[in-house]
Amino acid sequence: MTIPPEREAEILRYYHVEKWRIGTIARQLGVHHGVVTRVLAQAGLPRIGPPSRPSQVDAYLPFIHQALDKFPRLTASRLYAMVCERGYRGGPDHFRHIIACRRPRPPAEAYLRLRTLPGEQAQVDWGHFGHLTVGRARRPLMAFVMVLSYSRQIFLRFFLDARMENFLRGHVEAFTAWNGLPRILLYDNLKSAVLERHGDAIRFHPTLIEFAGYYRYEPRPVAVARGNEKGRVERAIRYVRDSFFAARDFAHVEDLNIQAEAWCHGIAADRRCPGQDSLSVREVFAVEAPRLLALPDNPYPLVERVAVTVGKTPYVHFDKNDYSVPHTKVRRMLTVLADPDEVRIVEGQQILAQHRRSYDKGAQIEDPAHVQALVAYKHAARRHRATDRLSQAAPAGETLLIRAAERGGNLGTITGALLRLLDRYGAGELQAAILEVLDRDVPHPNAVRLALERRREHRHQAPPVAGNLPAHVQARDVQVRPHQLEPYDQLKESPDE
């Protein structure tokens, strides 16, 4: 509790002049007795009043001080057990309070103010900004932050994971945005940078070493438990949380990155540069930019490469989703080449499939040509394909087919009827209707159709119309232009009336 200087003066006057007790001062002034004790201790004046009573712990204080000097982090409970073995009979709560007062405090450490030259150093780190839900997947929202140590220019880019490919992609985009790079990049002990560390012996990630050699900069890790050495990027991440990300609305990651780029070139660049109060970050970066290292002619190739195995079905599993391949490649070892937008599946130098990358979970991304080729090759796949489509759209349909098979129903006819209902009413309505008939234990497509009709009538909606009507039915909806009646009036007025 912080009190004004006037109240501190009152406490000192009542204690030393009026000889009030600590409890009396606390009651009369309406403050806690601990506040009064703290004010008196900070004043450094001798204590007035009766001397403190002797305590049975006094005889053990030399032993306690000796133990704490040798083992400063020894717990109070362990010390209490040790003094009890030596004859102490006091309570544990009072003893714990005494240890809190007697425990030696670590000396405050002073730090030098770190200064760098223009174009000399940048600091890199990841920041975790919660999670995003993409379909059925819950993915972490990670912010790649790089800040130039001299000008404090910030580069910010959001990704849906912290893999090595995105880590290096953040570097390349930062270098491109600044049209250059510093001579030294300072890393925390990230798994993307440091694989293992034993004292001063450090083993960098080989991919990062290759990347640093391509761009001709020096990767340098900070010391363990020395966050002050990368304080610029730590403060930059905190600045991003408070100034940019707080209460911000965005539709998707691409929209968030567009806003982040505008923020870096706007608000973040116009702020005051720390250490150079008269200049903005934009002005100091204009001085630093010519001193950055030049970029190589071609950017570093950034493709995520993963070896995958195709099972009995023509799909490869990558990043929580399945991607189709030609059916002739089952039981093969293939390679996935992925970037943020596209997934390519190759065998040697041959590209077998190209798909748009999905960040969902459990999705089945297919090329229609792959499916059609398999159906043409294996006619029996038609029924399995229909069942698979029904299960994907309405998972309860699989239970309905099992119950219908137990009663001797024709699964092909039932599947075809349910697919027609799916085309007319949609997946959500079909799922709800199937659940309703399963509750009544009537696994038949006619019961599903009646349930769909009841739900439609309850909402007062018109009956759905199928898309492919016969030609004679479509002809009924042709607009007919009525004939004008003026010629008939002229005939009536003729002499031959």
Side-chain angles (χ1 to χ4, degrees):
M1 177 180 179
T2 304
I3 60 176
E6 297 82 4
R7 184 55 58 88
E8 292 184 4
E10 282 186 292
I11 293 173
L12 294 174
R13 183 172 64 84
Y14 289 140
Y15 187 81
H16 293 284
V17 178
E18 304 297 341
K19 303 299 187 292
W20 286 9
R21 294 176 179 271
I22 292 177
T24 304
I25 298 174
R27 284 193 303 272
Q28 298 301 322
L29 299 183
V31 297
H32 193 269
H33 62 84
V35 176
V36 178
T37 304
R38 175 172 55 82
V39 171
L40 297 177
Q42 290 175 348
L45 297 177
R47 183 179 185 274
I48 295 179
S52 57
R53 293 179 298 174
S55 173
Q56 57 179 321
V57 79
D58 293 344
Y60 302 92
L61 288 179
F63 169 76
I64 293 173
H65 289 156
Q66 182 181 3
L68 289 177
D69 289 340
K70 190 175 182 179
F71 305 103
R73 301 182 64 181
L74 195 64
T75 62
S77 60
R78 182 59 192 145
L79 271 173
Y80 179 71
M82 293 169 68
V83 296
C84 285
E85 292 174 357
R86 288 162 174 79
Y88 179 68
R89 294 294 177 264
D93 295 334
H94 179 61
F95 182 82
R96 188 176 293 107
H97 173 71
I98 293 174
I99 294 303
C101 299
R102 302 284 180 173
R103 187 181 296 279
R105 298 292 184 262
E109 184 178 0
Y111 297 95
L112 292 173
R113 179 170 293 178
L114 303 179
R115 297 185 181 275
T116 58
L117 298 174
E120 184 69 17
Q121 183 195 95
Q123 300 180 7
V124 183
D125 204 355
W126 283 109
H128 188 267
F129 284 75
H131 291 80
L132 286 184
T133 300
V134 182
R136 290 164 287 186
R138 184 172 180 265
R139 294 183 176 269
L141 182 62
M142 304 298 297
F144 174 87
V145 181
M146 182 183 292
V147 57
L148 290 171
S149 298
Y150 180 75
S151 64
R152 312 299 174 90
Q153 180 72 22
I154 296 175
F155 175 81
L156 174 62
R157 173 78 175 179
F158 288 90
F159 297 97
L160 291 179
D161 57 58
R163 297 180 180 177
M164 173 60 76
E165 290 74 22
N166 286 334
F167 188 60
L168 300 184
R169 188 169 288 111
H171 285 70
V172 173
E173 294 184 5
F175 300 160
T176 304
W178 295 338
N179 196 26
L181 67 148
R183 291 163 175 79
I184 299 171
L185 285 183
L186 206 61
Y187 298 100
D188 197 356
N189 292 282
L190 302 169
K191 292 182 179 179
S192 302
V194 179
L195 292 182
E196 61 178 333
R197 184 171 192 156
H198 298 284
D200 295 334
I202 298 172
R203 185 163 72 93
F204 280 100
H205 198 292
T207 306
L208 181 65
I209 293 295
E210 179 184 356
F211 179 81
Y214 188 86
Y215 282 95
R216 302 181 298 279
Y217 73 86
E218 176 190 353
R220 183 181 298 176
V222 300
V224 177
R226 291 288 177 178
N228 63 297
E229 295 184 7
K230 61 179 187 68
R232 290 172 172 85
V233 70
E234 296 286 357
R235 286 190 292 271
I237 292 176
R238 185 169 66 245
Y239 179 56
V240 169
R241 294 186 190 278
D242 298 338
S243 178
F244 172 74
F245 193 76
R248 181 168 295 273
D249 295 327
F250 55 92
H252 39 70
V253 178
E254 291 77 9
D255 179 31
L256 182 61
N257 282 324
I258 292 174
Q259 298 183 44
E261 182 179 3
W263 178 80
C264 289
H265 292 295
I267 296 175
D270 292 332
R271 75 188 191 280
R272 178 181 58 83
C273 182
Q276 304 185 53
D277 298 344
S278 61
L279 300 175
S280 66
V281 171
R282 188 189 307 277
E283 295 170 336
V284 180
F285 176 70
V287 176
E288 185 177 20
R291 292 175 171 82
L292 296 174
L293 294 177
L295 296 176
D297 295 335
N298 298 312
Y300 186 82
L302 293 172
V303 178
E304 187 174 356
R305 181 185 297 268
V306 180
V308 293
T309 302
V310 186
K312 294 186 293 184
T313 58
Y315 297 92
V316 298
H317 188 76
F318 171 73
D319 193 19
K320 303 180 180 181
N321 298 294
D322 294 330
Y323 296 86
S324 69
V325 295
H327 68 277
T328 56
K329 302 301 178 180
V330 295
R331 303 292 190 180
R332 298 281 188 91
M333 179 71 74
L334 305 178
T335 303
V336 172
L337 304 177
D339 58 36
D341 301 320
E342 187 181 47
V343 172
R344 289 176 295 163
I345 306 167
V346 301
E347 184 180 33
Q349 301 296 324
Q350 181 185 7
I351 299 178
L352 302 178
Q354 289 179 280
H355 300 280
R356 181 172 180 80
R357 184 165 183 172
S358 173
Y359 291 94
D360 201 343
K361 179 181 179 181
Q364 200 167 274
I365 298 91
E366 300 174 336
D367 185 343
H370 297 161
V371 179
Q372 292 172 5
L374 177 60
V375 172
Y377 174 75
K378 193 172 183 180
H379 181 73
R382 295 181 184 272
R383 182 173 62 84
H384 296 292
R385 176 63 180 164
T387 305
D388 183 62
R389 181 192 170 199
L390 178 63
S391 299
Q392 290 288 333
E398 185 174 354
T399 305
L400 186 143
L401 291 176
I402 293 174
R403 294 189 184 180
E406 294 173 350
R407 301 187 180 189
N410 189 324
L411 296 184
T413 302
I414 296 174
T415 302
L418 292 178
L419 288 178
R420 288 191 292 272
L421 294 176
L422 173 64
D423 294 335
R424 297 189 65 183
Y425 291 92
E429 285 295 307
L430 181 62
Q431 171 74 4
I434 292 177
L435 291 175
E436 181 179 336
V437 301
L438 289 177
D439 290 339
R440 299 201 308 268
D441 196 21
V442 188
H444 196 278
N446 288 339
V448 177
R449 179 178 57 79
L450 292 176
L452 289 169
E453 286 295 320
R454 283 196 299 270
R455 293 173 60 85
R456 177 189 61 76
E457 293 175 357
H458 181 71
R459 294 192 301 270
H460 304 289
Q461 293 180 347
V465 179
N468 299 323
L469 295 176
H472 69 280
V473 177
Q474 296 182 11
R476 299 176 184 175
D477 295 331
V478 175
Q479 185 176 3
V480 179
R481 297 179 59 185
H483 196 279
Q484 296 182 359
L485 300 179
E486 287 79 0
Y488 295 100
D489 295 336
Q490 295 176 1
L491 289 174
K492 184 177 181 180
E493 297 173 356
S494 63
D496 299 335
E497 183 180 359

